[in-house]
Amino acid sequence: MWLLLVLLPAAALPARGCRAPGEAAVRVLSARLLGLAVEPGLDADPGVYVGLRLAGEHDLRAEQRYLERLRDTFQGRYGRSLDSASHSSHGHRHRDAEHSTDTRAAAQWPETGRLALYLLGLRATCPPPDPGPQRFLVTWLKYYLEKDWKGSRRHGHPLTSYYQYSLGVLALCIHHKRVREEVIQRLLVAEQHRRFRHAGSSTVDTEAVAALAFACLEREQLVRSRLAAELRAAVRGIRARFVAAQSEDGFIGNVFSTPLAMQVFIATDKCRTQPAYGRAMAALLQRLDAFTSAAAMAQALPVLHGRSYLDIASMQCKEEPDTLTPLALEPLSVGPGNMMVRLVVECPVPPCPQHLLYDLPVPVPTGASLLDLLRVAPAQGPQNFTFETQDTSQGPFLTSVLGLAAQPQERHYWQLLGGLGSSLQMGVADYRPEDGETVILRLSKW
Ligand code: B12
């Protein structure tokens, strides 16, 4: 079955004339994403659905079931008007108690990015779903963008992040909905002043999504000509910075941000003329094995089919090859030998009792992940080593260490670093330390 899958020709999908490599490995990646999507237990994720829809081959029934799972979540939360949500949050009684709790929660903390990805997914669905219920979703997304925008005025940044804010602008544009020019201006000014940087991460992912939003607004003619010219200049600047930032090995930012950066070349029709694009594609094809989480795979698949999120706006429902079958990821082997990794926990921000909370060598089987290591880390004195994670489509996100939970509203997070202080480029489940290495968990602000 494995062999058959690899030998079958991949469907060619030349979208807007950008090269789709059509390699067997790309098809395997699609099949693995499908495998993760049909796995029971994991919550459905709108970004994963977008990835499945922008791939070349499909399992249409599995995609339909996945969409139904998403619909259950999102229609429950956003399937009614904002007015009814604000009424229910002021104590009005509802027949459907569960529904009203869900809508009330929605009215509080913006879920800009997930809602934007869901709307992108709906627009990428064939045949197009009934547009009626989408009306409320669009209103909710506009409301979240405004909340984010106000947050950004008070604190100097959106309540969620510039990444999510950009996704919000992009999704409304793909649905051909206008947003206030001030909302766009704020993103543009942040880009012009290079405000996307935050601790421990490069700006490439966020710049790429912002550039896609700008390119969409310009292409769909949703802004006045003066602003359109500014957006065009910003996209040109971002593209030039990507070319300058490309490393010797072909990546832009790192392996995980490269697909998003490549989307900008596709969306602006530079994929055939810009050599950086071809180099990035070659580099990506060499490292498809790095894409192990559903979210990472879903972000890589569009460019591997020569597509960007902007193609969703002009998606035409033709017959789609219903030929994909799910493939399970083989677990990586560990052992037989053992290794020693030094685990350090640092807490340098205000709520911390002291700076250094933990520092011990931990014996683990060779090839163990950081997550395996955390599970067996020994007690230091009277204190057991404890930690908590939360499942996301990127994998388990470390939320708490030694009883100290990072407060997302304070923009605190448990950052993962190597011994020399460099931020790791993978999460706890994917990172595999080497013998003798030091790993630091540090409560940081981003
Ligand atoms: C913003 C962001 C963050 C913020 C998230 C907080 C927030 N409220 O927004 C902060 C700064 C906390 C963060 C932390 C980390 N991040 Co980050 N992050 C991003 C970014 C730019 C956008 C994510 C997003 O908003 N997606 C859209 C929303 C709608 O989707 P979502 O699924 O709801 O997003 C949530 C999860 O993605 C989660 N999250 C964010 N980063 C990570 C990383 C991992 C490994 C996990 C499991 C979850 C996770 O927080 C998001 C917001 O709630 C992505 C870029 C990208 N290409 O995806 C990188 C990205 C996901 N992060 C990455 C990494 C490596 C990390 C860290 C491991 C860095 C480090 N060395 O500490 C840590 C996670 C450590 C931990 N505690 O487990 C990598 C993941 C690579 C991979 N596939 O393994 C990415 C792809 C960046 C990159 N190009 O390298 N990140």
Side-chain angles (χ1 to χ4, degrees), residues 123-266:
R123 185 68 186 78
T125 297
C126 285
D130 171 17
Q134 290 179 32
R135 211 161 36 94
F136 289 138
L137 299 174
V138 166
T139 317
W140 271 102
L141 183 54
K142 284 190 168 181
Y143 167 73
Y144 277 166
L145 265 182
E146 290 289 339
K147 270 195 122 171
D148 254 343
W149 178 77
K150 278 199 203 104
S152 125
R153 294 192 74 175
R154 202 162 349 115
H155 308 291
H157 55 70
L159 287 180
T160 59
S161 64
Y162 281 118
Y163 186 95
Q164 296 201 32
Y165 192 89
S166 304
L167 276 178
V169 175
L170 174 65
L172 288 173
C173 171
I174 295 290
H175 279 258
H176 218 80
K177 301 288 178 217
R178 283 178 195 278
V179 286
R180 284 192 307 127
E181 286 213 344
E182 273 169 292
V183 171
I184 301 163
Q185 279 287 359
R186 195 153 292 270
L187 189 59
L188 184 63
V189 169
E191 197 284 319
Q192 286 163 343
H193 291 83
R194 309 282 185 276
R195 294 214 193 105
F196 294 160
R197 185 166 297 281
H198 50 74
S201 128
S202 96
T203 54
V204 170
D205 309 75
T206 307
E207 282 187 307
V209 185
L212 291 173
F214 295 161
C216 178
L217 289 166
E218 200 217 327
R219 188 192 288 178
E220 301 292 314
Q221 299 181 345
L222 286 171
V223 288
R224 280 179 293 177
S225 59
R226 197 159 153 213
L227 182 54
E230 282 189 75
L231 296 176
R232 202 163 34 242
V235 175
R236 225 182 295 125
I238 292 172
R239 227 175 30 222
R241 286 204 294 284
F242 285 173
V243 173
Q246 188 168 42
S247 60
E248 282 282 292
D249 51 17
F251 294 114
I252 303 170
N254 65 14
V255 58
F256 303 108
S257 52
T258 299
L260 290 178
M262 289 168 70
Q263 280 206 33
V264 178
F265 294 97
I266 297 174

Side-chain angles (χ1 to χ4, degrees), residues 326-409:
L327 190 65
L329 270 179
E330 311 90 59
L332 286 172
S333 59
V334 289
N338 278 317
M339 61 176 186
M340 200 62 99
V341 178
R342 184 174 155 214
L343 179 64
V344 176
V345 180
E346 294 177 356
C347 199
V349 287
C352 298
Q354 66 206 56
H355 185 100
L356 186 65
L357 300 181
Y358 185 93
D359 187 353
L360 276 184
V362 184
V364 272
T366 315
S369 69
L370 179 51
L371 186 60
D372 297 330
L373 184 140
L374 299 182
R375 286 184 180 132
V376 299
Q380 186 164 40
Q383 193 180 22
N384 279 338
F385 185 85
T386 56
F387 71 98
E388 283 168 36
T389 58
Q390 193 183 321
D391 280 334
T392 75
S393 61
Q394 291 278 1
F397 183 75
L398 186 63
T399 51
S400 172
V401 178
L402 296 168
L404 281 165
Q407 299 301 328
Q409 256 98 330

Side-chain angles (χ1 to χ4, degrees), residues 42 55 81 90 102 144 245 261 273 308 386 411-412 432 442 445:
L42 293 175
S81 72
H90 286 98
D102 227 8
Y144 277 166
T273 49
S308 84
T386 56
R411 299 199 139 207
H412 285 164
R432 284 162 203 277
R442 182 186 292 158
K445 202 163 166 70

